[in-house]
Amino acid sequence: MSAPTPVPSVPAAARPSRGALTGGGVLAGAAAWVAVAHYFVVLLVVRAAWTTPYSVLSNTISDLGAAGCGEHRGRDVCSPWHVAANVSWVATGACLLLGALLLRPVLARGAAGRVGLALIGVAGVGELVVGLSPEDVSAAHVPAAAVAIVGGLAGLLTLGASLARTPGLRGLGVLGVGFGALGATALVLGVTVVPERLVGLVERLAAYPILVWTVAAGVTVLVRRRAHASAASSS
């Protein structure tokens, strides 16, 4: 009679520890990523203040932060509340960077996880510079936006692949890979074949998955943290 085949155990290093989840830094990092959700609310408010037509298909996100009124790269731009948009982008970048730094004990599972978080942190710096450099004022705007989008998508793919192998965070990892692939596809198509009249749509499909995923990741960490705290108090 042959001995039963042993069930492979998951290395402890691949599982977020209870101590890591309950740390104060992790709470602040998760809250920072959840706070990224304000980005979408502010953009809706800023867009509502426009008196000239604004199209999510042809107008870029950056048009909402343009400091002046007039034609910019063939688009009619006039954003009365551009300051609010730019302040929001600075805050979003800071939140992305803060979360990437403070969530390392939970999300940085191995080298891929650390690289993925670092890339999201770099994307945060890019987003912060975007807010400080309106498209019609500074030449730094476009390079910073490229860093924010490319860095963020690379971070999603790398970190997502790492988390997809982490017990309890597999769903979040698969979502990260899926969102990263969606954004990367949109970015490549936008650079190669999509016409200029759809630049706004392509930019959103490339940028929004990064922000939506980080909000989802922040919520996931907060939920797991609360569950661990409840388990600890009842034991």
Side-chain angles (χ1 to χ4, degrees), residues 15-92:
R15 299 190 297 265
S17 68
R18 178 173 295 181
L21 281 169
T22 56
V26 168
L27 174 61
W33 274 11
V34 172
V36 169
H38 87 276
Y39 173 102
F40 298 101
V41 177
V42 172
L43 289 195
L44 287 174
V45 172
V46 173
R47 177 186 168 186
W50 275 49
T51 55
T52 55
Y54 183 90
S55 169
V56 296
L57 298 180
S58 58
N59 281 103
T60 66
I61 303 170
S62 297
D63 288 347
L64 295 170
C69 293
E71 185 177 300
H72 183 75
R73 296 189 177 181
R75 303 184 300 272
D76 222 8
V77 174
C78 191
S79 186
W81 290 3
H82 61 274
V83 173
N86 289 312
V87 169
S88 172
W89 297 336
V90 170
T92 298

Side-chain angles (χ1 to χ4, degrees), residues 27-207:
L27 174 61
W33 274 11
V34 172
V36 169
H38 87 276
Y39 173 102
F40 298 101
V41 177
V42 172
L43 289 195
L44 287 174
V45 172
V46 173
R47 177 186 168 186
W50 275 49
T51 55
T52 55
Y54 183 90
S55 169
V56 296
L57 298 180
S58 58
N59 281 103
T60 66
I61 303 170
S62 297
D63 288 347
L64 295 170
C69 293
E71 185 177 300
H72 183 75
R73 296 189 177 181
R75 303 184 300 272
D76 222 8
V77 174
C78 191
S79 186
W81 290 3
H82 61 274
V83 173
N86 289 312
V87 169
S88 172
W89 297 336
V90 170
T92 298
C95 286
L96 289 174
L97 178 59
L98 185 63
L101 293 173
L102 296 181
L103 290 174
R104 285 172 56 89
V106 179
L107 300 182
R109 320 313 299 176
R114 291 191 292 273
V115 170
L117 274 176
L119 287 168
I120 292 177
V122 169
V125 174
E127 184 70 21
L128 193 154
V129 175
V130 164
L132 295 174
S133 312
E135 65 177 7
D136 58 339
V137 172
S138 173
H141 182 90
V142 172
V147 168
I149 293 176
V150 175
L153 292 174
L156 251 63
L157 290 168
T158 309
L159 181 57
S162 172
L163 295 178
R165 302 189 297 270
T166 304
L169 295 173
R170 289 193 178 103
L172 185 63
V174 171
L175 185 66
V177 172
F179 274 13
L182 169 64
T185 301
L187 184 61
V188 170
L189 291 176
V191 172
T192 56
V193 299
V194 174
E196 183 69 20
R197 66 178 182 276
L198 296 178
V199 63
L201 176 62
V202 170
E203 184 188 30
R204 285 166 174 80
L205 289 175

